[in-house]
Amino acid sequence: MKTKYSQIREDREINLLIEKGNEVLRTLGYTEHSRRHAAKTAETAAMILKELGYKKQTIELARIAGYMHDIGNSINRHDHAHSGAILAYDILRRREMDLEDVLTVTEAIGHHDEHTGTAVDEVSAALILADKTDVRRNRVQNPEQKNFDIHDRVNYAALSSQMSVDREKRVIHMELQLDDRYCSLVDYFEIFLERMLMCRRAAEMLDCRFKLTANGSKLL
């Protein structure tokens, strides 16, 4: 495999692409997509596969895909999954990663956006689940609450978000606590329905069921 996640996290080119992408999204009014989101996505994707008993190489590839999945935002938010996959292919080949591993990572990156993608293997499934469930208050980059759009309100309302995996019952569970002063369950479901359905299909790719609860109420 040669290229390791520890090297990817310290790679100047990759980190510059992530941060430039986040600058673009901040200017456009989007939530945070910085190295913090990249690292959280990487570790959550790895946790899911580890808990389900996948081999170390598959887990490592999920970490790498998770960390690199949003580099395409440095080019344009539109179609960022595809441009990110192309960027990742070039970068990882120059880092001398094995071609089969490169293709697994780029395939996952290219399929992580809900408008054009879906889970096609274990790595892409783990990436989707990790990315789409990263909902938290400190992802909001808009400094003025009076200017919040519904995406800002939903993320700002997220007091906690926990992901757990039950290997025996084959359940992947996302549990949210929302401050209903900023967002109702209806608001959350309106914004994230497509993403949560994508998570359900991703869980099915891992032979699991996706369960979503918010403030103790079962939504999926």
Side-chain angles (χ1 to χ4, degrees):
M1 182 170 161
K2 294 184 181 179
T3 306
K4 297 180 179 180
Y5 173 62
S6 58
Q7 296 171 295
I8 294 298
R9 279 206 65 168
E10 300 302 319
D11 191 294
R12 181 173 181 270
E13 181 179 4
I14 293 169
N15 286 326
L16 282 173
L17 287 169
I18 293 170
E19 292 303 336
K20 175 55 70 174
N22 191 48
E23 287 177 19
V24 170
L25 296 189
R26 184 188 298 115
T27 301
L28 295 174
Y30 284 87
T31 51
E32 172 258 333
H33 287 71
S34 69
R35 291 171 65 183
R36 181 178 359 181
H37 170 64
K40 191 174 191 308
T41 302
E43 293 305 331
T44 302
M47 179 276 291
I48 292 168
L49 295 185
K50 183 177 180 180
E51 290 296 321
L52 292 174
Y54 284 90
K55 61 184 181 180
K56 289 183 178 179
Q57 182 175 353
T58 304
I59 295 169
E60 186 77 349
L61 293 175
R63 279 196 180 97
I64 292 171
Y67 195 75
M68 298 181 69
H69 76 282
D70 273 333
I71 60 176
N73 285 317
S74 62
I75 296 174
N76 196 299
R77 176 63 178 172
H78 181 71
D79 215 18
H80 75 285
H82 300 157
S83 56
I86 293 168
L87 284 171
Y89 182 91
D90 174 66
I91 291 168
L92 294 175
R93 288 298 281 163
R94 285 190 280 113
R95 303 309 185 266
E96 298 184 344
M97 180 184 273
D98 293 341
L99 180 57
E100 288 187 6
D101 292 335
V102 171
L103 293 176
T104 298
V105 171
T106 55
E107 175 186 79
I109 293 172
H111 281 86
H112 86 270
D113 185 72
E114 64 268 22
H115 300 298
T116 57
T118 191
V120 291
D121 62 10
E122 299 92 343
V123 173
S124 61
L127 169 57
I128 287 166
L129 285 160
D131 177 39
K132 304 310 176 191
T133 57
D134 185 15
V135 183
R136 48 189 162 83
R137 176 166 289 188
N138 58 6
R139 288 196 72 186
V140 177
Q141 301 190 109
N142 188 336
E144 298 291 337
Q145 288 190 25
K146 63 182 181 181
N147 296 326
F148 279 4
D149 64 11
I150 191 168
H151 293 86
D152 291 328
R153 291 203 310 275
V154 168
N155 279 279
Y156 195 79
L159 300 175
S160 68
S161 173
Q162 295 183 338
M163 172 81 82
S164 61
V165 178
D166 188 323
R167 183 174 179 178
E168 290 187 4
K169 294 182 179 179
R170 309 301 295 186
V171 172
I172 298 172
H173 182 197
M174 178 186 180
E175 188 171 4
L176 275 171
Q177 287 296 323
L178 297 174
D179 186 337
D180 58 13
R181 291 177 299 172
Y182 301 100
C183 163
S184 68
L185 297 184
V186 172
D187 289 334
Y188 179 86
F189 217 55
E190 177 186 352
I191 292 301
F192 287 104
L193 175 60
E194 190 173 7
R195 298 179 193 181
M196 294 302 99
L197 292 176
M198 191 183 197
C199 285
R200 185 169 69 181
R201 290 190 290 269
E204 290 169 354
M205 176 62 66
L206 299 173
D207 192 29
C208 291
R209 183 165 54 89
F210 181 68
K211 181 180 177 182
L212 170 65
T213 57
N215 294 355
S217 298
K218 183 178 178 181
L219 299 183
L220 272 179

